[in-house]
Amino acid sequence: MFTWEEEWNISFAGCGFRSIYYLGALSCILQQVPQLVHGASKICGASSGCLVAAAVTVGIPIQQLCVDVLTMAKEARKHTLGVFHPTFSLLHIVRHSLLEKLPADAHLRASGKLCVSLTRLADGKNVLVSEFDSREELIQVLTCSCFFPVYCGFTPPSYRGVHYMDGALSNNMPLFEQRNTITFAPFSGESDICPREGTFNFFEVHYGNVSIQVNTGNVHRICTSFLPPKPEKLAEICHNGYMDALHFLRERDLLGLQRLPSSFVAETFKPAPYELVESEKTSLNGLDLKVEENLPVSFKKVLCVACRDDQDGGKFLPVKVVMYLLTLLMLPIELAVLLTKRLLTSTTDLCRQTLCSRHEDSSRAAQQRQVL
């Protein structure tokens, strides 16, 4: 259970293009309880999650990161083969964006605060990096953590002369084992901030320290992590991140700053700079506070522009083909497990009723013997 009395960390799982989910979640937290992010001891990430962690750590506006994710997704969708097209290089785009966006002192801001998960190519061991000697070294670490073999090419990048690949392959949730780490993942499971699946879930797997329920919803989420959906879908994912973060804040009783130590209140209690669309009221020392229940206007503008400028006409075939195949594969499995679960439930109920009947018969027989 999260507590303000101890140091806390924030960790973002790798998720490809679905990292836009984190941006929606962060927009909610920065709007409602900014100290939850600014006061974190370490901000961690693997793969695309480390890019979000780096942006928050060095001060890149998350709206700008949202623009980058949408631009990258639209660029991939221009090609019939998407990210697998020979002229499209995901890692090159990431590196170019980092060179353009990271401030000159980014390595100084990140050292000791940012924690990046890497997988060493030679032995597959996980390496966590938190100290950076230069801006270029920080860029090397981030690009290494984003390199997924084949998907991003065949030549892995290096850091200090050693080749590394995607951190998600060995540890997709850095520092998750620490009790006071707030975990983010765009897949339904046991992470602190994640989608709450309303459909049937029959079992759960743990991959790289991330809990993922096995269901059709997560199959779609994993697919669209690698193959970007249309901007309208990305906008929906962003909004879902906002709402899931709001649910987390309510669940932990963090809205309205009720649980913040008094030393934090003066620093973090500021009027929200965003337009309120739908709101509820909470109270703090007699003050009425409005709780935003929608994405900030700055995010809405970014998403609206991306959707308006999308001209691909739905011609991105890989997503459709893969989703049809995965749906056909998952449907019989879900039906079989659902029937098995119902059968087990019915059998359990029948056994319970039989045992109750036998107990009642024994009780009656005992009472009759006592009467005689």
Side-chain angles (χ1 to χ4, degrees), residues 106-125:
H107 59 292
L108 301 177
R109 302 187 195 185
S111 290
K113 179 91 169 179
L114 175 65
C115 180
V116 181
S117 175
L118 303 177
T119 301
R120 194 161 50 216
L121 181 65
D123 55 10
K125 298 294 185 182

Side-chain angles (χ1 to χ4, degrees), residues 111-347:
S111 290
K113 179 91 169 179
L114 175 65
C115 180
V116 181
S117 175
L118 303 177
T119 301
R120 194 161 50 216
L121 181 65
D123 55 10
K125 298 294 185 182
N126 182 249
V127 176
L128 298 180
V129 182
S130 291
E131 298 295 332
F132 312 94
D133 292 340
S134 65
R135 180 173 178 268
E136 175 58 29
E137 190 170 275
L138 172 59
I139 293 174
Q140 289 176 8
V141 170
L142 294 174
T143 52
C144 282
S145 186
C146 292
F147 177 80
F148 196 94
V150 181
Y151 181 77
C152 291
F154 296 92
T155 306
S158 63
Y159 156 62
R160 293 186 178 177
V162 179
H163 292 289
Y164 293 91
M165 53 186 177
D166 200 320
L169 296 173
S170 57
N171 184 359
N172 201 19
M173 192 72 81
L175 305 186
F176 88 105
E177 69 281 357
Q178 297 191 12
R179 189 175 70 88
N180 226 22
T181 295
I182 302 172
T183 54
F184 290 68
F187 315 111
S188 62
E190 294 182 354
S191 300
D192 293 312
I193 298 178
C194 68
R196 304 299 170 182
E197 192 66 61
T199 59
F200 174 69
N201 306 301
F202 48 89
F203 63 92
E204 187 175 283
V205 297
H206 287 79
Y207 174 75
N209 299 327
V210 178
S211 161
I212 303 177
Q213 294 169 342
V214 179
N215 52 53
T216 51
N218 273 344
V219 168
H220 180 270
R221 294 183 184 106
I222 293 172
C223 175
T224 50
S225 294
F226 291 96
L227 304 174
K230 296 188 70 173
E232 291 86 348
K233 182 61 180 179
L234 290 171
E236 180 185 334
I237 295 169
C238 186
H239 181 263
N240 290 342
Y242 184 100
M243 298 307 297
D244 289 338
L246 189 60
H247 175 81
F248 168 79
L249 295 177
R250 284 178 175 147
E251 192 177 55
R252 301 301 176 91
D253 199 19
L254 296 173
L255 282 177
L257 312 181
Q258 296 99 322
R259 299 301 183 192
L260 276 174
S262 57
S263 59
F264 285 159
V265 172
E267 179 183 350
T268 62
F269 177 56
K270 300 177 182 178
Y274 309 113
E275 176 184 331
L276 300 177
V277 180
E278 298 175 9
S279 61
E280 66 178 24
K281 289 186 177 181
T282 57
S283 179
L284 174 66
N285 298 328
L287 296 173
D288 285 333
L289 303 178
K290 289 185 176 181
V291 178
E292 173 67 59
E293 290 191 5
N294 213 325
L295 283 169
V297 171
S298 55
F299 265 77
K300 288 182 179 180
K301 289 180 179 178
V302 168
L303 296 171
C304 285
V305 169
C307 294
R308 184 189 63 207
D309 294 342
D310 180 38
Q311 302 294 332
D312 68 23
K315 66 181 181 181
F316 192 55
L317 297 180
V319 172
K320 292 183 178 180
V321 172
V322 171
M323 285 312 303
Y324 285 142
L325 292 175
L326 289 175
T327 301
L328 290 173
L329 176 65
M330 289 294 295
L331 185 59
I333 297 176
E334 282 205 39
L335 290 175
V337 177
L338 178 59
L339 291 174
T340 303
K341 183 178 179 181
R342 288 183 176 177
L343 180 61
L344 290 174
T345 302
S346 301
T347 304

Side-chain angles (χ1 to χ4, degrees), residues 1-4 6-10 178-182:
M1 178 63 73
F2 174 78
T3 173
W4 290 104
E6 302 175 12
E7 288 188 350
W8 68 91
N9 308 305
I10 293 175
Q178 297 191 12
R179 189 175 70 88
N180 226 22
T181 295
I182 302 172

Side-chain angles (χ1 to χ4, degrees), residues 353-369:
Q353 291 174 4
T354 303
L355 290 173
C356 289
S357 298
R358 289 180 179 177
H359 179 71
E360 290 175 358
D361 292 342
S362 299
S363 299
R364 290 196 192 96
Q367 290 175 357
Q368 289 175 358
R369 284 196 296 268

